[in-house]
Amino acid sequence: MQLGLIGLGKMGGNMAERVRRAGHEVVGYDNAPGKRDVDSLEALVGALQAPRVVWVMVPSGDPTRQTVSALKELLEEGDVVVDGGNSKFTDDKIHADDLATKGIGYVDAGVSGGVWGLENGYALMVGGSKEDVAKVQPVFDALKPPAPQDETGASVPGAGFVHAGPVGAGHFAKMVHNGIEYAMMQAYGEGYELLAAVDLVEDVPGVIASWTQGTVIRSWLLDLLVRALQEDPGLDDITGWAADSGEGRWTVEQAIEHSVPMPAISASLFARFSSRQDDSPTMKAVAALRNQFGGHAVKAREVEDPA
């Protein structure tokens, strides 16, 4: 089948290549001239045969909203727009309702796999009607990982792909996935810090590498931590500043709205906020209070000698 793909960055470019390797035609558009196959959205739509499938893989928020709005004016009844970025699930119904006024379908696709997806495949969580998902299914099949096998050699159904529900369900599932990812990374980071803080353990990278086989905490994230430590054993070349792209915040917001306790994910989100403070106001207040009620010592800020 044909696929129009808008956004050919690290993820989008690799996704286009994986879909091509599966035998499908991809017409790509990007703001960067060196990456694109056509020079405009109009040309992209014109290069596709109806019914068209156009996958949007641009940053969430205004870039995605503007792209979907532009596609509404260019596409026709029976076409489908797929948002494969990390959009907030509440945006999906707005997009779907707007496109529906012209009979254009909409599918939201949560995509996980990062820069490794070209070779390993992408885990896909999609939302939309059965009819619209079916129009995109050949592309989903090309992008998802090969089906794993159970102990009998039979393929495990459903692994790497799920039609999670109606419009919005795909991005909601990806949001929760990323919230869990926050907590897992935080736990690995804290474990690494404790190992590195004691004199007893002489080979911290070796300990972490030993966990990748036969333990209950093995995972792809742990493999990536091992890789990072192989490249930089003391992690001396990076700072402890960690961004958040939105999904962790949204997960915690939904936990509050639905009264679902999420202490681990919430703490991992707040830890990222703390990572951006060289001199945390919170901890200064805590130190001051400890001094006030218990006489505990405080560490005064060092002042340079003007001489």
Side-chain angles (χ1 to χ4, degrees), residues 70-187:
L71 288 172
K72 176 189 174 183
E73 305 305 317
L74 298 171
L75 295 174
E76 301 173 341
E77 182 176 353
D79 295 341
V80 176
V81 173
V82 182
D83 178 7
N86 283 327
S87 295
K88 192 172 185 179
F89 72 96
T90 50
D91 284 352
D92 293 318
K93 189 175 188 305
I94 297 172
H95 293 324
D97 289 347
D98 190 32
L99 293 171
T101 62
K102 286 190 62 176
I104 302 168
Y106 179 84
V107 172
D108 56 288
V111 183
S112 181
V115 297
W116 304 91
L118 174 59
E119 300 300 330
N120 299 335
Y122 300 87
L124 303 165
M125 298 142 270
V126 307
S129 70
K130 291 182 179 179
E131 295 75 16
D132 288 336
V133 170
K135 292 179 182 179
V136 192
Q137 193 64 54
V139 176
F140 294 146
D141 291 340
L143 288 171
K144 70 182 183 181
Q149 297 181 334
D150 62 20
E151 61 276 5
T152 67
S155 295
V156 178
F161 173 84
V162 61
H163 181 187
V167 166
H171 280 148
F172 193 97
K174 179 58 163 47
M175 175 192 74
V176 176
H177 165 281
N178 283 23
I180 294 170
E181 179 185 291
Y182 276 44
M184 291 177 66
M185 288 193 287
Q186 183 68 23

Side-chain angles (χ1 to χ4, degrees), residues 5-9 12-13 16 20 26-44 47:
L5 201 155
I6 302 170
L8 302 172
R20 288 189 177 109
V26 178
V27 180
Y29 173 75
D30 193 275
N31 287 331
K35 296 181 179 180
R36 61 197 185 196
D37 302 311
V38 292
D39 295 331
S40 66
L41 293 183
E42 292 84 356
L44 180 142

Side-chain angles (χ1 to χ4, degrees), residues 2-305:
Q2 289 183 310
L3 174 70
L5 201 155
I6 302 170
L8 302 172
K10 292 179 180 179
M11 283 278 284
N14 281 346
M15 290 168 63
E17 178 60 24
R18 186 171 175 89
V19 173
R20 288 189 177 109
R21 290 181 183 180
H24 303 293
E25 179 185 352
V26 178
V27 180
Y29 173 75
D30 193 275
N31 287 331
K35 296 181 179 180
R36 61 197 185 196
D37 302 311
V38 292
D39 295 331
S40 66
L41 293 183
E42 292 84 356
L44 180 142
V45 171
L48 302 173
Q49 298 176 353
R52 306 169 185 85
V53 173
V54 180
W55 190 302
V56 179
M57 204 69 190
V58 301
S60 61
D62 286 341
T64 293
R65 297 185 191 108
Q66 292 165 6
T67 303
V68 172
S69 179
L71 288 172
K72 176 189 174 183
E73 305 305 317
L74 298 171
L75 295 174
E76 301 173 341
E77 182 176 353
D79 295 341
V80 176
V81 173
V82 182
D83 178 7
N86 283 327
S87 295
K88 192 172 185 179
F89 72 96
T90 50
D91 284 352
D92 293 318
K93 189 175 188 305
I94 297 172
H95 293 324
D97 289 347
D98 190 32
L99 293 171
T101 62
K102 286 190 62 176
I104 302 168
Y106 179 84
V107 172
D108 56 288
V111 183
S112 181
V115 297
W116 304 91
L118 174 59
E119 300 300 330
N120 299 335
Y122 300 87
L124 303 165
M125 298 142 270
V126 307
S129 70
K130 291 182 179 179
E131 295 75 16
D132 288 336
V133 170
K135 292 179 182 179
V136 192
Q137 193 64 54
V139 176
F140 294 146
D141 291 340
L143 288 171
K144 70 182 183 181
Q149 297 181 334
D150 62 20
E151 61 276 5
T152 67
S155 295
V156 178
F161 173 84
V162 61
H163 181 187
V167 166
H171 280 148
F172 193 97
K174 179 58 163 47
M175 175 192 74
V176 176
H177 165 281
N178 283 23
I180 294 170
E181 179 185 291
Y182 276 44
M184 291 177 66
M185 288 193 287
Q186 183 68 23
Y188 286 138
E190 291 174 3
Y192 164 77
E193 182 173 355
L194 180 57
L195 287 169
V198 301
D199 295 331
L200 184 63
V201 178
E202 296 179 347
D203 185 2
V204 174
V207 169
I208 293 175
S210 76
W211 294 344
T212 62
Q213 298 294 325
T215 73
V216 296
I217 63 168
R218 63 187 185 274
S219 74
W220 184 39
L221 283 174
L222 187 63
D223 293 341
L224 294 178
L225 178 57
V226 170
R227 179 187 176 96
L229 290 171
Q230 288 173 342
E231 296 172 352
D232 182 9
L235 300 182
D236 298 319
D237 295 336
I238 59 175
T239 64
W241 193 100
D244 71 287
S245 55
E247 298 91 337
R249 299 186 189 211
W250 303 337
T251 303
V252 173
E253 288 172 0
Q254 288 301 304
I256 293 169
E257 182 172 337
H258 295 280
S259 300
V260 174
M262 281 193 169
I265 292 176
S266 299
S268 67
L269 173 64
F270 296 143
R272 294 200 180 190
F273 297 163
S274 296
S275 77
R276 301 166 208 171
Q277 298 174 324
D278 292 332
D279 193 6
S280 168
T282 297
M283 295 316 298
K284 287 195 290 185
V286 169
L289 286 169
R290 292 179 74 246
N291 177 256
Q292 289 293 323
F293 73 72
H296 300 288
V298 296
K299 182 177 180 181
R301 183 184 297 275
E302 294 183 1
V303 179
E304 291 185 5
D305 187 343

